Amino acid sequence: MDFNMKKLASDAGIFFTRAVQFTEEKFGQAEKTELDAHFENLLARADSTKNWTEKILRQTEVLLQPNPSARVEEFLYEKLDRKVPSRVTNGELLAQYMAEAASELGPTTPYGKTLIKVAEAEKRLGAAERDFIHTASINFLTPLRNFLEGDWKTISKERRLLQNRRLDLDACKARLKKAKAAEAKATCEGDTVPDFQETRPRNYILSASASALWNDEVDKSEQELRVAQTEFDRQAEVTRLLLEGISSTHVNHLRCLHEFVESQTTYYAQCYRHMLDLQKQLGSSQGTLFPGTFVGTTEPASPPLSSTSPTTTAATMPVEPSVAGLAPPGEAALCLEEVAPPASGTRKARVLYDYEAADSSELALLADELITVYSLPGMDPDWLIGERGNKKGKVPVTYLELLS
């Protein structure tokens, strides 16, 4: 207990001395040992590396997991040393909803068949995203996190220790400076010839005694200064070696960055390949709406995003399509009136959106009305011939829902 109390008192004294030294430095009342320029540059580079590593790590986590709640959950699992539960990606969840919608709305209808195909593609996209997140976490995030939680903590600890050693060194310098000043003053007072006529030459005796005491204090301060200087130099060398190791950290992070780019390239290449396959499937299946009448194209049709007025639709939707095998627009109105619908292949269709005819060869449409549609050989697969009463004209496929 005695030993612990003495150690506690000693630690408290050291802490108080450092606090006094630090406060006086802040107010410009004490000298401060400056580090060399190279050491300061190493400190600045280390701080910059730490700050940017933190920012890159946080933003990469946002890229891989945009949901902040999910990131917090994963962080808690990591801190508790528990395995993070598997989470369904957004693409896989979308694929699940599309598959369920196709099952309920009818998997044999054109819409249901397309939903199934798109769901399969979204599922593959979700699996590719899962692989990318896993690879990026291991090859990129983990090394950055290890640096911040390992190497940087060691560097910070040694820097704090170096700061304490510097405060101790400067405190020893200040004590030695004060001791020498007091010794010089006591020496001057001791050099005065005493007046032996006095019955009690007390001042002379006290001055001689004080001079001796300050001599001992100077010797003690010099010894403490030598010890403090040795400890400071040793700690400065240890910290310097750790700071110079930041160059190796940069090399390691560079390698991890290359691996991250490789994994991201692979991920986007897989996504492109999956979507290209889906595009081809949708393009080839479009030609089966009217078997034997026309062949589809690999270019996907883009339906409008929302129902708008005829004026807005005309401004935002394509209104001048090219119809292969038909006459120019000026003559098409006359030719279409003379064209008879095929004996088989006509179907009923419900109009989804209002459509304003661009010229006399097209048929204007109103939402929710029913018309008869059919195709002609060599006709653009994005367009059909529509009939409503005695009116006839071209209509865009994307504005129609074909009925069985």
Side-chain angles (χ1 to χ4, degrees):
M1 185 65 180
D2 247 350
F3 173 78
N4 290 339
M5 289 300 296
K6 289 180 180 179
K7 186 176 184 301
L8 181 62
S10 175
D11 292 342
I14 293 174
F15 176 79
F16 179 75
T17 302
R18 291 171 179 171
V20 171
Q21 177 66 26
F22 182 80
T23 304
E24 290 180 349
E25 289 177 357
K26 288 299 181 182
F27 285 99
Q29 298 175 357
E31 296 180 359
K32 176 181 176 181
T33 300
E34 299 293 340
L35 301 170
D36 60 83
H38 177 63
F39 200 98
E40 293 289 352
N41 290 335
L42 291 177
L43 290 174
R45 187 175 68 154
D47 289 333
S48 180
T49 300
K50 180 256 185 181
N51 293 334
W52 284 111
T53 301
E54 283 182 336
K55 292 180 180 180
I56 293 173
L57 175 64
R58 286 196 298 265
Q59 192 57 38
T60 306
E61 290 175 343
V62 172
L63 173 68
L64 300 180
Q65 179 51 264
N67 188 345
S69 300
R71 293 200 302 273
V72 172
E73 181 182 354
E74 292 175 357
F75 175 78
L76 293 178
Y77 273 104
E78 290 177 0
K79 291 301 179 182
L80 296 175
D81 291 332
R82 297 180 61 183
K83 184 179 179 182
V84 179
S86 178
R87 182 178 286 105
V88 178
T89 62
N90 294 328
E92 292 172 329
L93 188 59
L94 177 60
Q96 178 184 341
Y97 290 163
M98 286 185 171
E100 293 175 357
S103 177
E104 184 172 340
L105 299 177
T108 59
T109 63
Y111 182 46
K113 291 179 180 179
T114 303
L115 277 175
I116 293 175
K117 292 179 180 179
V118 176
E120 293 175 352
E122 292 295 337
K123 186 176 181 180
R124 290 193 292 269
L125 290 176
E129 181 184 2
R130 183 191 301 275
D131 293 340
F132 167 62
I133 293 174
H134 178 72
T135 303
S137 298
I138 294 177
N139 296 339
F140 189 61
L141 292 184
T142 300
L144 298 184
R145 195 176 290 114
N146 288 342
F147 165 72
L148 294 174
E149 296 178 357
D151 296 349
W152 181 253
K153 286 188 176 180
T154 302
I155 292 175
S156 299
K157 177 182 176 182
E158 297 300 330
R159 286 179 65 177
R160 288 193 298 269
L161 190 55
L162 177 64
Q163 174 73 354
N164 291 336
R165 294 288 182 264
R166 187 196 62 75
L167 290 174
D168 293 341
L169 176 62
D170 290 337
C172 290
K173 290 180 178 178
R175 279 199 302 270
L176 179 59
K177 184 177 180 181
K178 292 177 181 178
K180 286 185 176 180
E183 180 191 23
K185 183 178 179 181
T187 302
C188 291
E189 292 177 354
D191 288 343
T192 305
V193 178
D195 184 4
F196 291 103
Q197 299 299 321
E198 293 185 14
T199 57
R200 302 175 64 185
R202 191 169 42 182
N203 294 337
Y204 176 76
I205 297 173
L206 291 176
S207 297
S209 177
S211 177
L213 288 175
W214 284 116
N215 283 334
D216 294 340
E217 183 66 23
V218 168
D219 293 339
K220 181 182 177 182
S221 298
E222 289 177 345
Q223 178 62 24
E224 291 177 350
L225 177 60
R226 285 192 293 269
V227 173
Q229 185 69 55
T230 302
E231 292 180 351
F232 172 78
D233 292 341
R234 184 186 300 114
Q235 185 59 38
E237 185 62 24
V238 172
T239 308
R240 184 193 303 274
L241 293 176
L242 290 174
L243 294 175
E244 289 175 348
I246 293 293
S247 299
S248 301
T249 300
H250 288 180
V251 173
N252 183 37
H253 288 182
L254 175 62
R255 177 182 56 81
C256 297
L257 185 60
H258 279 285
E259 293 179 356
F260 174 71
V261 172
E262 288 292 334
S263 61
Q264 199 169 27
T265 303
T266 302
Y267 166 61
Y268 285 117
Q270 290 175 345
C271 293
Y272 174 76
R273 184 168 60 252
H274 294 328
M275 294 309 298
L276 192 62
D277 293 341
L278 175 62
Q279 186 185 43
K280 291 179 180 178
Q281 291 178 22
L282 296 181
S284 61
S285 64
Q286 190 176 356
T288 62
L289 294 175
F290 299 96
T293 58
F294 65 92
V295 179
T297 177
T298 57
E299 294 295 328
S302 300
L305 297 178
S306 60
S307 178
T308 57
S309 64
T311 304
T312 306
T313 304
T316 57
M317 295 299 164
V319 295
E320 295 185 1
S322 60
V323 181
L326 294 182
E331 303 175 7
L334 299 176
C335 297
L336 289 176
E337 295 298 332
E338 301 173 359
V339 172
S344 61
T346 61
R347 296 180 65 176
K348 289 291 184 180
R350 184 175 69 87
V351 179
L352 300 175
Y353 318 99
D354 294 345
Y355 178 73
E356 183 179 3
D359 51 47
S360 59
S361 68
E362 298 179 1
L363 182 66
L365 303 175
L366 295 176
D368 296 328
E369 70 173 334
L370 294 178
I371 62 174
T372 302
V373 294
Y374 55 89
S375 179
L376 298 176
M379 190 174 178
D380 190 328
D382 291 339
W383 292 81
L384 297 172
I385 302 299
E387 289 187 359
R388 182 181 58 243
N390 59 351
K391 295 184 178 180
K392 183 186 302 184
K394 297 180 296 180
V395 293
V397 176
T398 55
Y399 283 74
L400 305 175
E401 177 187 5
L402 300 175
L403 304 177
S404 57

